[in-house]
Amino acid sequence: MKTIALADDMVDSLALVPGKDVEEKFSRLLENTFVLNLRECEDYLFKFESKYGMDFKSFAELWEQGGIPEKYSHEVERDFMEWEGFTMERSKLLRTLRNLKTKAAS
């Protein structure tokens, strides 16, 4: 376990965060941050899924098979890279949230 120093105004602000102690309060803050990031990520994923009418896995399979029209256009390549990035970010956030919840339950 690490010790950190907090400015007095931060300690005062922590009073507004639910939790029985500083560790629980920070845990909740982290969880809330990850959930907000996950929602933002989900919004971007929905944008691409709506645009192309499929999830990323299906898009990537069609991409490999040459089934995506204008696959090498700037727009489609950029969408592929961003979509892949948000897909990976979503997995990372879900894994982090799962680990955080598992530790909090123990």
Side-chain angles (χ1 to χ4, degrees):
M1 187 171 284
K2 300 212 183 242
T3 302
I4 60 172
L6 298 174
D8 289 337
D9 61 331
M10 288 183 75
V11 173
D12 293 341
S13 296
L14 281 175
L16 300 172
V17 178
K20 65 180 185 273
D21 55 27
V22 173
E23 187 172 343
E24 186 175 316
K25 290 172 183 277
F26 270 105
S27 188
R28 287 186 185 217
L29 287 172
L30 286 172
E31 182 180 341
N32 288 340
T33 298
F34 296 142
V35 167
L36 287 173
N37 289 346
L38 182 59
R39 285 183 184 151
E40 182 179 13
C41 192
E42 294 279 356
D43 287 344
Y44 282 107
L45 291 171
F46 180 74
K47 178 185 91 169
F48 290 120
E49 289 170 359
S50 296
K51 181 174 181 177
Y52 292 99
M54 63 188 89
D55 62 8
F56 179 74
K57 183 179 177 186
S58 300
F59 185 84
E61 287 171 1
L62 278 175
W63 178 279
E64 291 299 321
Q65 298 166 2
I68 301 295
E70 300 179 33
K71 148 180 180 173
Y72 294 112
S73 71
H74 176 73
E75 178 184 3
V76 176
E77 282 188 327
R78 185 189 65 230
D79 285 353
F80 182 93
M81 288 185 290
E82 288 180 11
W83 198 355
E84 181 179 40
F86 286 118
T87 300
M88 292 178 352
E89 183 70 14
R90 180 183 185 275
S91 294
K92 179 181 166 187
L93 287 165
L94 286 171
R95 200 170 36 255
T96 302
L97 277 166
R98 194 175 310 116
N99 290 340
L100 189 63
K101 292 215 178 255
T102 301
K103 288 178 185 175
S106 359

